[in-house]
Amino acid sequence: MGVFKVNYFISRNVELNAMLVCKSVYFLFTILVFRTSCVNGSNQLHIGGIFPIAGKGGWQGGQACMPAAYLALEDVNKRKDLLPGFELTLHNNDSECEPGLGASVMYDLLYHKPQKLMLLAGCSTVCTTVAEAAKMWNLVVLCYGASSPALSDRSRFPTLFRTHPSATVHNPTRIKLMQKFGWSKIAILQQAEEVFISTVEDLENRCKEAGIEIVTRQSFLSDPTDAVRNLRRQDARIIVGLFYVVAARRVLCEMYKQQLYGRSYVSFFIGWYEDNWFEQNLQSENISCTRDEMRRAAEGHLTTEAIMWNQNNEKTVSGMSSEDFRIRLNKVLSKTYDIENQRYPEGYQEAPLAYDAVWSVAFAFNKTMERLKTKKKSLKDFTYTDKDIADEIYAAMNSTQFLGVSGWVAFSSQGDRIALTQIEQMVNGTYYKLGYYDTLADNLTWFNKEQWIGGKVPQDRTIVRRVLRTVSLPLFICMSIVSTLGIIVGTALIVFNLWNRHRRVIQQSHPVCNTIMLFGVITCLVSVILLGIDGQFVDPLTYPKICQARAWILSMGFTLAFGAMFSKVWRVHRFTTKAKTDPKKKVEPWKLYTMVSGLLVVDIVILLTWQLQDPLERRLESFPLEDPLSSNDDIKIRPELEHCESINNSVWLGVIYGFKGLILVFGLFLAYETRSIKVKQINDSRYVGMSIYNIAVLCLITAPVAMVIASQQDASYAFVALAVIFCCFLSMLLIFVPKVIEVLRHPHDKAESRLNNDTGISKEDEERYKKLVLENEELQKLIAQKEEKIRILKQRLAERDQQKGDTQSSSQLQLSQQITMINNGTSLNQDREVF
């Protein structure tokens, strides 16, 4: 930073040279006027004055401070009891608040006669340069307008005093205000100058001790555009600004552009700006905002400043009150500035500090003269190598105390001014005092006059309210009612199935499988209710249990319902394909139940392993911030949605979907293979196949779509719930409605003449069928006996093959006739069996 400043100031010298030619006329005129008004001779005590007046950046407070210093010089020289026999003379020049130019001005003052006894300086950067160098000439430096905390370093600035309090005096006040209004999150915007860098470092330490978070610290050299934009990105609400007034105008304009003002924002600015600082020099400084826009951006901001005007209307050491001094100063400034319309020059607030600084010099010199008399010396004997007189001036200044127009003037061991802090707020373009803070006593005097845009204290951050997205209550109620209705229907059908189990229409559809299917349907409908239970009904600790229950109930319900239908179709397929080759072999009913049990066991193994190894947990999905529908508060809504997920959730879903998908595909294949088969043993096979078609198609559609719309809670729940409900109701409709209709049509006929077109069996056909079955069994026994005889005869033929050729031919002919008869009987038996 130091190298940068040197380069910067060197580059500025070219521009400054042209300006110095014009300004030197003004300063030479001022010096000549003052010198001619003073008595030439040995009774003059000379001091050097460095005032920042005509610069383009930094603090140009010399515009008001230099006239105030000359007023003090006039008053001091009128006092006969002060500096008897001597008059105080001020030699001044402009530093433009540039440290390089300030050093040049200092050298010019020192190397041109007369001898200077002390230096007055303003602007922190210039004071830093001057005070650090002045010790080489044994000169005491008194700064009337320097607030840099770095100047409190006695080892670096051993001869420095200042009537302007250190900038760090504001930090305890800022912390106190933040605690008062409950702000614990702030942002800092600073100009890259040493005074502000050291102030921010002190503020950071105090914030850390007070538990206040600094969300961002942005700095800039001359253009604050990017820094202010970063504040916007960081959602800064309480902004502490540390910069000179020229930069403050640019900052305020950029804050207007970025909309960092209004009821949601509070800015802390430095209090030593002029009252109308945000309206001045907008065109000359190329500020792109209008006065009205600047007023809107400045409305409501807070300032902290050390008290620079005596608050009590009492006479001071000069014989004037602070109000008397204000009137007198305004009269002098009105010759150049439009004071009547409150167009004050820069440095107006610090003018009392410059006035009291000259009085401090006079009192210090007066006390030094008294001490030097005992040593038979005089201030006129001072040279830049005379450390003894310099120490006497330092000691006298260190002990100086008086009541000035800026308040009580006294210096700490570091040479700092001890002062209270004043808090003000801008309301309708005017600053109003809110209170005072005494850092030493930790006492805040508050007037309760603060006014906030919107009528309430702004928040230090955007309040983000987490809102859980839940299933719409009307939707959940609607689906629950339909599911409950389905559960009631399923229960009624179970009762119907058990009550009419002796009837042929029920017996020939395997009532046990039907009951299992109905239990599965009821279980799936229960899962529909569980799918709609979320954070609006249960707490986060209970939600994982709901997740586990959903997985178990839906998976096992599907296995029971679809497994029962799958086993029926499988039996039809087995019966029609095996009966042709093995008429004696039948598919036993216990195999049907074993198949359903096997599928259920696989489900239990997968789900149990999943639950033990990687249980489902509650995971929240966050969505972008949204504005509330109606609220005057600075609130954003963060929607969140609950999900049931485990660490390896996709793996387990893949296993479940793979197993279920395999059953679905195989069930579709069996249903397609048996689509046109009609058997009496399973009289509802066609309806079961139709149910399998519908379930398979809906499941293949629902699973991927549900994963895609998982972030839309209502759509996802409605889609899955409707798919489950539709499958359940359709299955019950297809399989049981024909049975119910048949039972209702023949309530007293226990041997129904016809169930449907699948069987086509009458009473006479049934009796004939039973007779044919008995005849078939007798013929099978007869065939077995004949086959045994054939075997024996063939054996005998083989033994007599060579010996009895003719006899053998006759026997073979008889044997052939017998075989023909046997075959004819077998053919008849087969015809009856097919019938």
Side-chain angles (χ1 to χ4, degrees), residues 337-348:
Y337 300 96
D338 188 8
I339 302 300
E340 292 183 358
N341 294 320
Q342 297 184 347
R343 299 292 187 264
Y344 299 103
E346 195 166 349
Y348 184 80

Side-chain angles (χ1 to χ4, degrees), residues 167-176 198-200 202-203 206:
T168 56
V169 76
H170 301 269
N171 290 336
T173 307
R174 293 177 179 127
I175 297 295
K176 194 69 176 180
S198 54
T199 302
V200 168
D202 178 75
L203 179 60
R206 294 180 184 273

Side-chain angles (χ1 to χ4, degrees), residues 48-67:
I50 304 174
F51 296 92
I53 297 176
K56 290 186 176 181
W59 180 71
Q60 305 302 322
Q63 297 171 8
C65 288
M66 190 177 73

Side-chain angles (χ1 to χ4, degrees), residues 141-160:
V141 178
L142 181 58
C143 291
Y144 56 84
S147 60
S148 174
L151 296 174
S152 299
D153 186 357
R154 263 286 175 251
S155 61
R156 183 180 174 188
F157 310 101
T159 62
L160 174 68

Side-chain angles (χ1 to χ4, degrees), residues 602-621:
V602 174
D603 250 3
I604 293 173
V605 171
I606 295 175
L607 291 171
L608 190 61
T609 305
W610 186 1
Q611 183 172 349
L612 295 177
Q613 297 295 327
D614 190 13
L616 287 169
E617 298 292 342
R618 178 179 182 264
R619 186 187 69 82
L620 290 177
E621 177 185 4

Side-chain angles (χ1 to χ4, degrees), residues 8-9 12 15-16 19 23 52-63 94-99 122-126 191 193 196 221-222 243-250 272 281 285 346:
Y8 173 72
F9 295 135
R12 284 277 291 163
E15 179 182 353
L16 293 171
M19 298 176 63
K23 295 170 187 173
I53 297 176
K56 290 186 176 181
W59 180 71
Q60 305 302 322
Q63 297 171 8
D94 184 9
S95 69
E96 299 186 10
C97 198
E98 298 285 1
C123 176
S124 293
T125 55
V126 173
Q191 192 173 6
E193 298 286 351
F196 305 123
L221 184 61
S222 58
F243 25 72
Y244 288 121
V245 67
V246 175
R249 283 187 277 269
R250 296 188 179 276
W272 39 257
N281 306 325
E285 295 175 7
E346 195 166 349

Side-chain angles (χ1 to χ4, degrees), residues 381-567:
D381 299 330
F382 174 76
T383 62
Y384 296 140
T385 58
D386 193 338
K387 192 174 186 305
D388 184 46
I389 295 179
D391 289 342
E392 291 293 341
I393 296 174
Y394 175 88
M397 181 64 71
N398 195 39
S399 60
T400 297
Q401 294 185 13
F402 63 93
L403 181 62
V405 294
S406 64
W408 186 256
V409 179
F411 303 101
S412 68
S413 59
Q414 288 81 27
D416 293 335
R417 170 77 177 273
I418 301 173
L420 298 177
T421 309
Q422 175 180 277
I423 304 105
E424 292 183 320
Q425 183 185 34
M426 174 162 287
V427 179
N428 296 325
T430 304
Y431 283 107
Y432 289 91
K433 292 182 177 62
L434 300 183
Y436 301 96
Y437 182 63
D438 185 349
T439 305
L440 297 177
D442 189 23
N443 180 38
L444 177 65
T445 303
W446 198 252
F447 304 147
N448 293 316
K449 293 182 179 180
E450 67 273 20
Q451 297 182 33
W452 304 109
I453 302 173
K456 58 181 299 184
V457 179
Q459 300 160 175
D460 61 355
R461 69 198 74 193
T462 300
I463 297 178
V464 178
R465 289 185 178 175
R466 299 183 179 274
V467 177
L468 188 64
R469 285 184 175 177
T470 58
V471 175
S472 173
L473 189 59
L475 175 63
F476 174 71
I477 293 174
C478 181
M479 293 300 172
S480 298
I481 291 174
V482 176
S483 298
T484 303
L485 180 62
I487 293 171
I488 294 172
V489 173
T491 305
L493 290 176
I494 291 176
V495 174
F496 169 82
N497 193 60
L498 295 176
W499 186 265
N500 297 283
R501 63 183 179 278
H502 60 281
R503 305 187 69 152
R504 185 179 295 109
V505 68
I506 303 299
Q507 287 179 350
Q508 292 180 351
S509 65
H510 289 278
V512 176
C513 278
N514 290 340
T515 302
I516 294 174
M517 186 210 70
L518 289 172
F519 272 116
V521 166
I522 292 172
T523 305
C524 289
L525 292 172
V526 171
S527 71
V528 171
I529 300 175
L530 289 177
L531 288 172
I533 296 178
D534 49 26
Q536 63 182 323
F537 301 109
V538 297
D539 58 84
L541 296 178
T542 307
Y543 190 76
K545 299 178 182 178
I546 300 296
C547 293
Q548 298 289 351
R550 289 176 185 174
W552 279 84
I553 291 177
L554 183 58
S555 181
M556 296 182 69
F558 175 85
T559 300
L560 289 173
F562 188 82
M565 290 184 281
F566 174 82
S567 62

